């Protein structure tokens, strides 16, 4: 930890970029003004599997203003070199317009480029594609699963045999789409063999490497710019076909090209949280101690890539159980490739595990919190490692007290208000603490202002703000005098803005860079005979509001401005870095929560209304309390969506997504969101990273859906083992 006073970190700052956002001056991908830009409109496959037999572009090309219609018959061949430095899953990525094969409904088959969007849209409707269509397989139960990934410890069969209570439960979770407000969009411009793209992405470095390998141009020839992201939830974690299509089109027409996916096209042009079937068998003794857990789960992936996510972790470490087995299968289907979506993995696993544990508690007549307490492990039983910090017990007790858990009736369907059945539920949530290698450049100017540059993104959690807070304290500046610049591949590289690793990774690099600059200034002053700090011990100097002084003797000191100008220095600068997680961890690191929900269910109509949600989080140190609360609320809203509303529906006759719009794909709106409350346990995790943070953007969504599902059971006595819990399911 830095010896610096912490004034900005921990303060409930409003977003430093808030004014830019609410006044519309923050530029999102499609809004950048690029001279001479023309418009690209994608033509999507209208079959779910098969081959293109012909494409007739004559009517489209005859439209005034159409510059090109690009498809597999005329597109330049693209190198598509291997790219290991990306989030591409194993397999062969979709090669845009490189062959006649249709792999899923909606796959891009042509792109029209026109001088106006309207002409482009009209011309795209005139492109006539003929197919040799086959019947696609898009149903999870009809696919051929891949070989499983397996894990086991102990002996599950004997653990189940000796159990006093056994449950064998199968859960189904619908496919979910991220549906951030901002549509995915790309503007691509070539100058010679130098490519610049303005892109909606959560990882400018990833998009940069992908484009450089697709087009086989040097990494340095590709620049990716993405200063603002209007929500992501994971959909921006890899470079999608439309970004390649925009760059390809720009090369063909030799003009900058803008391509904005429509809301409908988001549903097959980017990834999604895959549909799951998850069978969990568990056994417990009469006191509720788990004797065995057997997890068998499968989810969809595409026919060309094998997407997987960290869904197995909670089942191995959340509860103490000697006997655990897991079999995890992907099922290739005629669909596009899934991608991580908020709380990826644990948000799925926790719904299943936490629902089953609630069912077990009910069967045994033990309070669900008490049951969890009885199964609290002393160490990570999957690795034998000690916890860095794990304060789940505290989350339970604080949550129970704050929520009024004692008012819950153990007997379901016991509380009624008119037509409404009222129930309470709770669940635990967990998400591993991820960290990746990151760098930042810090430059302190002679006027006492600083600029921090790092390639990181801000899809909403508030990277600009939280990094400003870290930098301000480490440099000893006020927040106003620090400017953080992010979202540009020209800046020092960072890991993907996902998996809750930005604060730990980028924050630690920013801290390092700022510490270096401050120390350099302190050294300079100490060695400078004209400085009031001459000869002082470096450890005794602190910097506050741009002024260096002796700790405990504020009168003895001088400002950065005085120091730098006397020494004829225009600025001081340093590169900060953070190495990421070590090869071998010595601790098991996770963020945790206990989430509580109260619901009202219309006894006749099956409508579920969430009345209250409370989350209590053990997420390590909180850099930015106001933004942390905003993250928690966002996670709860996402969890309400997952629990009750969100469901991507596929028409299995042709593989078409039937509800690819925001009228039919339901997301929570204001009226669906009740009183929310978030409590962060005060503390830090010294093992995790120099800042002591454990990540919070993902964990806040984990546990919300099962808390709601358990509340629905408590209200109605009905167990619905599927998400979303619809009114139909409750009738
Ligand atoms: Mo988060 S799913 O890693 O954007």
């Amino acid at each position: 930890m830095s010896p610096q006073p912490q004034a900005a970190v921990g303060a409930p700052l409003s977003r430093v970029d808030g004014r830019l956002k609410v006044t519309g001056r923050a530029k999102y991908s499609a809004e950048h003004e690029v001279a001479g830009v023309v418009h690209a409109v994608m033509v999507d496959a209208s079959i779910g599997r098969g081959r293109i037999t012909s494409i007739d572009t004559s009517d489209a090309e005859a439209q005034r203003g159409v510059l090109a219609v690009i498809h597999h018959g005329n597109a330049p061949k693209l190198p598509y070199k291997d790219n290991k430095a990306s989030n591409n899953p194993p397999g062969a990525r979709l090669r845009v317009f490189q062959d006649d094969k249709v792999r899923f409904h909606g796959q891009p088959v042509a792109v029209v480029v026109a001088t106006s969007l309207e002409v482009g849209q009209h011309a795209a409707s005139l492109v006539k594609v003929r197919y040799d269509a086959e019947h696609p397989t898009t149903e999870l139960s009809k696919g051929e699963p891949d070989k499983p990934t397996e894990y086991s410890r102990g002996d599950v069969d004997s653990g189940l045999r000796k159990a006093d209570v056994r449950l064998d439960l199968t859960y189904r979770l619908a496919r979910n789409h991220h549906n951030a407000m901002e549509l995915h969009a790309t503007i691509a411009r070539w100058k010679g063999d130098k490519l610049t793209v303005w892109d909606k992405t959560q990882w400018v470095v990833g998009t940069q490497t992908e484009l450089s390998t697709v087009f086989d141009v040097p990494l340095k020839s590709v620049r990716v710019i993405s200063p603002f992201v209007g929500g992501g939830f994971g959909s921006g974690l890899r470079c999608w076909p439309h970004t390649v299509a925009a760059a390809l089109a720009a090369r063909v027409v030799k003009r900058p090209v803008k391509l904005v996916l429509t809301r409908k096209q988001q549903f097959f042009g980017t990834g999604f949280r895959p549909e799951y079937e998850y069978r969990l068998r568990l056994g417990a003794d009469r006191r509720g101690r788990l004797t065995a857990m057997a997890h068998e789960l499968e989810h969809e992936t595409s026919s060309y890539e094998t997407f997987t996510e960290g869904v197995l972790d909670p089942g191995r470490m959340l509860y103490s159980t000697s006997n655990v087995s897991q079999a995890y299968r992907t099922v290739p289907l005629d669909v596009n490739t899934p991608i991580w979506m908020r709380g990826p993995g644990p948000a799925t696993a926790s719904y299943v595990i936490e629902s089953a544990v609630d069912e077990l508690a009910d069967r045994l007549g033990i309070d669900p919190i008490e049951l969890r307490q009885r199964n609290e492990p002393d160490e990570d039983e999957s690795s034998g490692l000690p916890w860095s910090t794990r304060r789940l017990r505290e989350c339970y007790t604080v949550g129970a007290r704050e929520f009024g858990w004692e008012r819950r009736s153990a007997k379901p369907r016991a509380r009624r208000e008119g037509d409404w059945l009222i129930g309470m539920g709770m669940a635990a949530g967990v998400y591993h603490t991820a960290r990746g290698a990151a760098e930042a450049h810090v430059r302190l100017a002679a006027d006492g202002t600083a600029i921090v540059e790092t390639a990181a993104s801000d899809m909403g959690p508030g990277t600009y703000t939280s990094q400003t807070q870290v930098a301000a304290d480490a440099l000893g500046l006020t927040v106003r005098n620090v400017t953080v610049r992010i979202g540009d591949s020209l800046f020092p590289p960072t890991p993907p803005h996902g998996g809750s690793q930005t604060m730990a990774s980028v924050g630690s690099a920013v801290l390092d860079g700022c510490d270096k600059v401050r120390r350099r200034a302190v050294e300079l002053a100490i060695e400078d005979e004209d400085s009031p700090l001459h000869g002082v011990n470096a450890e005794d100097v602190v910097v506050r509001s741009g002024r260096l002084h002796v700790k405990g003797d504020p009168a003895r000191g001088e400002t950065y401005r005085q120091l730098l100008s006397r020494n004829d220095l225009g600025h001081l600068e340093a590169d900060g870095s953070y190495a990421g997680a070590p090869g071998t961890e010595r601790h098991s690191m996770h963020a945790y929560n206990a989430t509580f929900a109260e619901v009202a269910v219309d006894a006749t109509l099956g409508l579920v209304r969430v009345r209250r949600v409370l989350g209590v989080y053990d997420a390590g140190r909180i850099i930015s309390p106001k933004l942390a609360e905003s993250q928690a609320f966002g996670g709860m809203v996402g969890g309400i969506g997952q629990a009750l509303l969100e469901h991507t529906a596929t028409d299995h006759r042709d593989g078409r997504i039937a509800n690819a719009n925001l009228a039919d794909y339901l997301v929570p709106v204001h009226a669906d969101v009740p009183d929310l409350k978030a409590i962060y346990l005060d503390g830090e995790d010294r093992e995790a990273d120099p800042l002591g943070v454990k990540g919070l953007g993902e964990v806040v969504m984990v546990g919300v859906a099962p808390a709601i599902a358990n509340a629905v059971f408590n209200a109605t006595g009905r167990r619905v083992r599927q998400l979303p819990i619809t009114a139909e399911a409750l009738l």
Side-chain angles (χ1 to χ4, degrees):
M1 244 352 285
S2 150
Q4 278 288 102
Q6 302 290 287
V9 167
L13 238 67
S14 292
R15 288 175 197 268
V16 296
D17 52 335
R19 191 175 295 266
L20 283 181
K21 285 185 166 171
V22 299
T23 56
R25 281 182 294 147
K27 288 233 188 302
Y28 294 87
S29 291
E31 298 176 331
H32 293 275
E33 281 147 36
V34 178
V37 76
V38 295
H39 302 267
V41 178
M42 209 78 104
V43 180
D44 315 314
S46 59
I47 63 163
R49 178 190 168 101
R51 291 197 179 272
I52 303 165
T53 53
S54 72
I55 298 192
D56 179 354
T57 59
S58 49
D59 286 354
E61 281 167 341
Q63 300 301 306
R64 188 197 303 266
V66 170
L67 303 173
V69 182
I70 304 162
H71 52 83
H72 76 278
N74 62 9
K77 291 299 158 214
L78 296 179
Y80 273 99
K81 296 264 160 116
D82 277 355
N83 179 8
K84 294 195 168 49
S86 81
N87 276 333
N88 296 338
R93 57 224 209 262
L94 190 77
R95 296 174 177 228
V96 185
F97 313 138
Q98 301 294 296
D99 63 27
D100 62 356
K101 199 170 166 191
V102 175
R103 295 160 183 82
F104 58 89
H105 202 286
Q107 177 188 312
V109 293
V111 66
V112 175
V113 190
T115 50
S116 81
L117 178 61
E118 292 75 12
V119 169
Q121 286 168 334
H122 179 57
S125 75
L126 300 176
V127 175
K128 293 184 203 68
V129 187
R130 285 182 198 286
Y131 302 94
D132 185 1
E134 297 166 43
H135 184 74
T137 304
T138 54
E139 255 173 297
L140 190 56
S141 60
K142 302 246 168 90
E144 196 58 57
D146 294 319
K147 277 214 281 297
T149 299
E150 289 174 312
Y151 167 84
S152 85
R153 67 170 184 254
D155 181 343
V156 163
D157 287 338
S158 93
L160 285 171
R161 244 190 336 266
K162 67 174 188 242
D164 296 317
V165 178
R166 276 176 291 275
L167 297 176
D168 183 347
L169 308 166
T170 298
Y171 296 85
R172 288 185 178 79
L173 292 91
R175 184 196 282 196
N176 288 174
H177 270 85
H178 310 74
N179 273 314
M181 286 305 294
E182 186 199 10
L183 297 169
H184 278 267
T186 306
I187 301 172
R189 181 183 69 195
W190 290 90
K191 283 193 175 161
D193 68 350
K194 296 227 186 314
L195 172 64
T196 301
V197 302
W198 291 262
D199 191 45
K200 169 167 177 159
T201 175
Q202 289 168 234
W203 195 22
V204 291
V205 179
T207 298
Q208 181 194 25
T209 59
E210 178 65 358
L211 291 171
S212 95
T213 55
V214 168
F215 290 94
D216 194 21
V217 294
L219 192 64
K220 284 205 172 344
S221 299
V222 180
R223 181 178 176 194
V224 180
I225 303 171
S226 183
F228 292 99
V229 179
F233 313 111
S235 69
L237 282 171
R238 73 178 286 205
C239 178
W240 298 110
H242 69 273
T243 301
V244 173
L248 174 64
R251 202 154 85 168
V252 170
V253 302
K254 299 185 166 49
R255 301 269 298 264
V257 165
K258 181 192 291 195
L259 196 164
V260 185
L261 290 185
T262 61
R263 180 60 63 181
K264 176 180 173 183
Q265 287 172 331
Q266 307 267 132
F267 282 80
F268 38 76
T270 67
F272 50 87
R273 190 197 301 278
E275 179 182 352
Y276 268 83
E277 185 175 304
Y278 195 134
R279 179 185 182 204
L280 177 59
R281 287 174 296 151
L282 52 82
D285 65 20
R286 246 176 276 285
R287 295 174 47 241
R289 300 287 297 267
L290 292 165
T291 57
M293 286 182 114
H295 307 252
E296 293 155 72
L297 52 146
E298 59 180 36
H299 69 68
E300 57 186 328
T301 187
S302 66
S303 61
Y304 50 96
E305 287 174 316
T306 306
F307 168 81
T308 57
E309 57 187 354
V311 66
L312 298 176
D313 191 39
R316 297 175 187 181
M317 49 63 68
L318 187 52
Y319 296 114
S320 176
T321 328
S322 315
N323 308 305
V324 178
S325 69
Q326 294 176 315
Y328 171 18
R329 291 175 178 83
T330 45
V331 182
L333 296 174
D334 297 315
V335 301
N336 57 313
T337 309
I339 188 88
W340 304 288
M341 181 166 159
R342 202 168 193 178
T348 297
S350 86
Y351 161 66
V352 171
I353 296 166
E354 294 301 290
S355 298
V357 164
D358 193 75
E359 204 155 328
L360 181 66
D362 179 64
R363 183 76 74 83
L364 289 164
I366 300 173
D367 178 84
I369 294 178
E370 174 57 28
L371 184 88
R372 285 173 173 81
Q373 297 272 25
R374 289 182 192 178
N375 288 287
E376 181 68 10
D378 296 325
E379 59 173 25
D380 184 334
E381 294 178 359
S382 69
S383 61
L385 293 175
W387 307 116
S388 56
T389 48
R390 170 162 165 143
R391 300 165 69 191
L392 197 44
R393 286 184 190 279
E394 228 176 310
C395 292
Y396 294 142
T397 41
V398 171
R401 189 181 64 225
E402 293 294 318
F403 198 69
W405 184 249
E406 80 285 349
R407 294 201 303 273
R408 171 182 176 271
S409 156
K411 201 164 90 57
R413 218 182 167 90
R415 194 173 145 205
R416 191 169 181 137
E417 293 174 12
D419 289 339
W420 297 93
L421 302 166
I422 315 297
M424 285 189 202
M426 59 79 59
V430 59
Y431 198 87
H432 65 280
T433 297
R435 299 96 81 215
E439 296 174 24
H441 182 77
V442 180
R443 185 183 161 112
L444 172 72
D447 67 356
T449 63
I451 290 173
V452 177
E453 290 175 336
T454 177
S457 307
D458 185 355
M459 65 170 146
T463 312
Y464 281 104
T465 309
S466 54
Q467 302 302 334
T468 299
Q469 290 172 273
V470 169
D473 284 353
L475 289 167
L477 295 177
T478 58
V479 163
R480 244 193 350 232
N481 286 328
V482 176
T483 302
V484 170
R485 294 183 182 151
I486 62 172
D488 192 325
S489 61
L490 289 180
F491 298 154
T494 54
H497 179 48
S500 286
Q501 63 184 319
T502 298
M503 197 65 246
S505 315
V506 179
S508 296
V510 168
L511 178 66
D512 181 53
C514 294
D515 277 345
K516 281 180 181 155
V517 166
R518 189 194 69 252
R519 285 200 199 103
R520 242 165 246 185
V522 170
E523 288 302 328
L524 186 66
I526 290 169
E527 285 163 19
D528 181 352
E529 290 180 0
D530 297 329
S531 170
L533 294 167
H534 180 63
V536 169
N537 251 337
E539 302 86 83
D540 294 336
V541 180
V542 293
V543 189
R544 245 192 267 236
S545 300
R547 189 167 173 282
L548 305 82
H549 67 82
V550 175
K551 206 186 296 178
D553 183 6
R556 186 172 173 194
E558 64 173 331
T559 61
Y560 280 135
R561 192 196 288 255
Q562 290 163 328
L563 175 69
L564 267 65
S565 60
R566 192 175 59 249
N567 284 276
D568 289 326
L569 289 170
H571 64 269
L572 290 176
E573 62 189 328
D575 294 311
S577 66
Y578 175 63
T584 311
E585 299 268 21
R586 289 178 305 155
H587 292 85
S588 177
M589 297 173 200
H590 297 80
Y592 299 91
N593 76 59
T595 301
F596 295 76
E598 183 177 279
V599 302
V601 183
D602 188 301
T604 343
L605 300 175
L607 294 171
V608 181
R609 294 282 178 261
V610 180
R611 286 189 155 186
R612 293 192 287 145
V613 182
L614 165 70
V616 183
Y617 308 96
D618 163 20
R621 187 155 171 239
I622 300 305
I623 302 295
S624 209
K626 198 166 173 181
L627 296 177
E629 180 175 74
S630 157
Q631 281 295 291
F633 289 178
M636 291 173 192
V637 172
I640 293 171
Q642 185 193 17
L644 302 175
L645 299 165
E646 299 190 46
H647 176 197
T648 306
T650 303
D651 186 332
H652 298 302
R653 291 172 303 179
D654 62 359
R656 177 193 312 254
I657 294 173
N659 60 344
N661 59 72
L662 283 182
D664 297 311
Y665 181 95
L666 303 179
V667 294
V669 296
H670 274 77
D672 297 307
V673 178
D675 245 22
L676 307 176
K677 187 169 178 190
I679 298 171
Y680 286 90
L681 298 182
D682 200 25
E684 62 180 329
D685 191 321
R686 289 166 187 275
E687 305 299 335
D689 48 78
L691 286 166
V693 304
K694 297 205 285 184
L696 57 83
E698 310 283 7
V699 76
V700 292
M701 174 146 176
V702 182
V704 180
I708 293 170
N710 294 339
V712 167
F713 170 75
N714 184 246
T716 63
R718 293 280 304 278
R719 281 289 172 193
V720 178
R721 296 186 195 94
Q722 71 180 45
L723 292 184
I725 300 168
T726 56
E728 302 92 281
L730 283 169
L731 288 179

